[in-house]
Amino acid sequence: MFLVAVRIMSNKGKTILILGNGFDLAHGLPTKYSHFLDFCQRVERIWSYGTIKNKRTIIEFKRKWIDNWETDKTIKDAIVTEFFNRKIKINSKGICEMSSDSTGLSEVHNLLDDNIWYEYFTELYRTNCMKGENWIDFEAEIRFIIKAVDEKALSLTNLWDDVIKEAVGFPEDPKLKIFKEKLKFKKYIERKKWDLDHKITVKEFREKVFEDLEHLTRALELYLDIFVQKIPVSNRIQEISNLTPDYVINFNYTNTYERIYKKGKVYHIHGKVDAKRSAEKNNMVLGIDEYWVGDERNERTNFTIFKKFSQRIQKHTGNESYKYLKEIQKLFKEKTGWSGNVDIFKDHPDGVSYVYVFGHSLDVTDKDILSSFIGDNSTSVIVYCMDKETEGELIANTIRLISEKKLLDKSNHVPTKLDYVIQKR
């Protein structure tokens, strides 16, 4: 039974707010992976739909690709405008070529060209083969492919054809088969200036698919910064408005929290969008969790580059959260802690820090960060849930993060150290 969602503060403890993608969605922003893929498909149609510029073509394009598209009107208008303004010419080989004056959309188009992840996800999305609709489901599909290859590749010098043939297996795994059929190395070999009969190794496969993942991440950055962040947001979430956090650990790439609430020091642990910087300086983390266990975690490192903890190190986005953790642990040790006498006029003893989680699925892909704050003895945690069904899922995911024993220890403590609270509507 939960009496209050916002507690009376201890004298010295900190307040930490953790935000996931559900935070942006709660503000009506189209930030699901499906929203992004829908956008990408329509960008591609600017270059591929029709070869004649006339009113009829525009009407047909709008009817087929825009009218029933459930997204913000500003994004629809931008796509239609660019389709109308596209330039069409016939090159010296008699081939029709199209171009756009929008540098953002042109870059997105180029980033999607010969991109295995875009091709693969588009096919899964088209055939309703994706596991779910959240970014953790998107990441799970990447994990499935990388893990399947990593398990079969004993060396980076192994030939890709041999490894993927074994991975697909018999009977064939349908998703691995789709991936195999979509992955083409022709343009990659041309860029490397190799002979056309060059045999691709696992190392070269890794380079190609990681480059494509970085390109897809940059395309996502352009979508979020140029289009999504321009959408006006008028609603405010009561639970968030009532908080005055010291620190905000934001798993979103957008600046939604900063432009609406303007409270606390905000740290984007997976990077932050900035369309103006070069693609090489993009610091957005889009990856997978660790799938090896035991000694293999330290020995099987060929595909570590795809894992979130590695990307946080490379892109310098992970360290600040651990600094916050050390700070709250130090405050806790300096005071009486949970074992001391509880002041009846406060919910918790001095030195205890308060952690509020909103819009995060608590998936194990972010276990290294989340388990530290939710499971630590120095914290009292409230996890906000959309409804009772979501509450059950979040409790189950919490167990995967900190163990069932730790969850019971914290939730059954008097006063409680772990609550699940249904959001107010």
Side-chain angles (χ1 to χ4, degrees):
M1 180 176 182
F2 312 117
L3 299 179
V4 291
V6 179
R7 300 164 173 144
I8 302 170
M9 282 296 299
S10 293
N11 288 340
K12 296 294 183 181
K14 297 294 182 180
T15 298
I16 297 173
L17 174 61
I18 298 177
L19 300 175
N21 183 237
F23 173 78
D24 272 353
L25 294 174
H27 290 88
L29 297 175
T31 56
K32 291 183 180 180
Y33 78 78
S34 56
H35 295 138
F36 172 57
L37 289 179
D38 283 339
F39 168 80
C40 290
Q41 289 181 46
R42 283 150 179 86
V43 171
E44 287 296 276
R45 295 304 177 276
I46 295 174
W47 275 260
S48 63
Y49 191 89
T51 58
I52 300 173
K53 186 176 180 178
N54 58 32
K55 186 176 181 180
R56 179 179 176 181
T57 304
I58 295 171
I59 292 173
E60 290 177 350
F61 173 77
K62 283 182 80 283
R63 177 179 55 79
K64 186 171 183 179
W65 292 103
I66 303 298
D67 291 346
N68 295 322
W69 181 21
E70 295 182 1
T71 194
D72 189 80
K73 184 177 182 298
T74 60
I75 298 178
K76 286 185 175 184
D77 291 345
I79 297 294
V80 172
T81 298
E82 210 51 46
F83 182 83
F84 178 79
N85 291 331
R86 64 183 182 162
K87 295 177 174 58
I88 303 173
K89 69 175 183 178
I90 306 298
N91 64 20
S92 58
K93 297 180 180 180
I95 299 173
C96 181
E97 293 182 343
M98 300 186 190
S99 60
S100 167
D101 287 336
S102 170
T103 55
L105 291 177
S106 293
E107 187 178 353
V108 170
H109 170 67
N110 293 333
L111 291 164
L112 300 179
D113 181 49
D114 191 41
N115 189 307
I116 177 55
W117 297 113
Y118 173 64
E119 296 290 337
Y120 177 63
F121 282 118
T122 299
E123 182 64 18
L124 293 187
Y125 185 44
R126 184 186 68 81
T127 55
N128 298 314
C129 290
M130 292 287 283
K131 292 181 179 179
E133 58 180 13
N134 299 315
W135 279 102
I136 58 169
D137 304 301
F138 189 92
E139 294 163 356
E141 297 294 350
I142 299 174
R143 183 186 193 272
F144 170 74
I145 297 295
I146 297 302
K147 182 174 182 288
V149 173
D150 199 5
E151 287 175 338
K152 301 299 181 184
L154 300 179
S155 169
L156 290 174
T157 59
N158 290 155
L159 294 181
W160 161 249
D161 284 344
D162 295 339
V163 171
I164 191 61
K165 183 178 180 180
E166 186 178 356
V168 170
F170 185 83
E172 295 178 332
D173 183 287
K175 288 187 177 180
L176 283 171
K177 184 180 178 182
I178 292 172
F179 186 85
K180 176 178 178 291
E181 292 173 348
K182 292 291 182 182
L183 179 57
K184 308 297 180 185
F185 288 100
K186 182 180 178 181
K187 291 184 179 180
Y188 173 75
I189 290 174
E190 289 175 350
R191 288 203 314 271
K192 295 292 185 178
K193 298 181 179 179
W194 292 333
D195 293 336
L196 293 179
D197 59 354
H198 177 82
K199 299 296 184 182
I200 296 294
T201 65
V202 171
K203 182 178 181 180
E204 290 157 356
F205 158 79
R206 182 184 66 182
E207 179 183 293
K208 154 71 173 163
V209 296
F210 184 72
E211 180 182 275
D212 285 358
L213 182 59
E214 290 284 270
H215 286 176
L216 193 67
T217 305
R218 169 61 175 175
L220 175 61
E221 176 175 45
L222 296 170
Y223 167 66
L224 293 175
D225 195 15
I226 298 175
F227 298 96
V228 174
Q229 291 200 149
K230 301 297 189 295
I231 299 173
V233 176
S234 56
N235 63 310
R236 294 170 66 92
I237 299 167
Q238 182 178 337
E239 291 88 346
I240 305 299
S241 296
N242 291 342
L243 293 176
T244 305
D246 296 291
Y247 305 123
V248 180
I249 299 176
N250 197 341
F251 282 84
N252 295 291
Y253 307 118
T254 61
N255 66 356
T256 309
Y257 178 84
E258 292 95 312
R259 63 173 166 143
I260 298 175
Y261 299 96
K262 303 180 176 68
K263 292 188 290 185
K265 181 179 180 182
V266 183
Y267 180 56
H268 288 264
I269 196 163
H270 282 170
K272 185 178 180 181
V273 297
D274 182 0
K276 295 179 181 178
R277 66 187 168 196
S278 66
E280 292 73 25
K281 292 184 178 180
N282 176 285
N283 72 342
M284 292 164 56
V285 173
L286 180 58
I288 62 179
D289 63 313
E290 176 60 80
Y291 45 77
W292 294 116
V293 297
D295 292 340
E296 288 185 311
R297 292 170 69 98
N298 301 320
E299 297 168 358
R300 304 291 294 268
T301 59
N302 287 339
F303 287 85
T304 297
I305 194 171
F306 287 89
K307 296 170 185 176
K308 285 184 178 179
F309 77 85
S310 175
Q311 292 185 27
R312 291 189 194 113
I313 294 171
Q314 286 185 304
K315 299 183 178 185
H316 307 288
T317 66
N319 185 260
E320 196 75 9
S321 65
Y322 290 103
K323 188 166 72 174
Y324 301 157
L325 182 64
K326 295 296 183 184
E327 181 180 357
I328 65 176
Q329 289 173 335
K330 183 173 183 291
L331 288 170
F332 181 72
K333 288 181 179 179
E334 289 177 348
K335 308 304 291 185
T336 57
W338 294 100
S339 60
N341 295 323
V342 177
D343 186 336
I344 63 172
F345 296 106
K346 297 178 182 176
D347 272 353
H348 295 303
D350 290 346
V352 173
S353 291
Y354 299 86
V355 176
Y356 298 85
V357 182
F358 189 99
H360 202 293
S361 64
L362 304 185
D363 188 72
V364 293
T365 55
D366 298 315
K367 181 175 181 177
D368 54 332
I369 303 297
L370 296 172
S371 61
S372 299
F373 287 93
I374 294 174
D376 198 82
N377 198 40
S378 65
T379 63
S380 175
V381 182
I382 281 183
V383 178
Y384 288 110
C385 318
M386 286 182 60
D387 48 39
K388 294 299 291 184
E389 181 181 356
T390 307
E391 180 183 26
E393 294 173 358
L394 290 172
I395 291 172
N397 286 350
T398 306
I399 293 173
R400 297 185 185 99
L401 291 176
I402 65 174
S403 80
E404 182 179 296
K405 181 181 184 303
K406 190 70 173 179
L407 178 140
L408 292 173
D409 287 346
K410 293 201 74 165
S411 61
N412 292 335
H413 192 279
V414 180
T416 185
K417 294 155 64 175
L418 178 58
D419 285 353
Y420 295 85
V421 176
I422 306 298
Q423 298 165 211
K424 296 179 181 178
R425 299 288 176 148

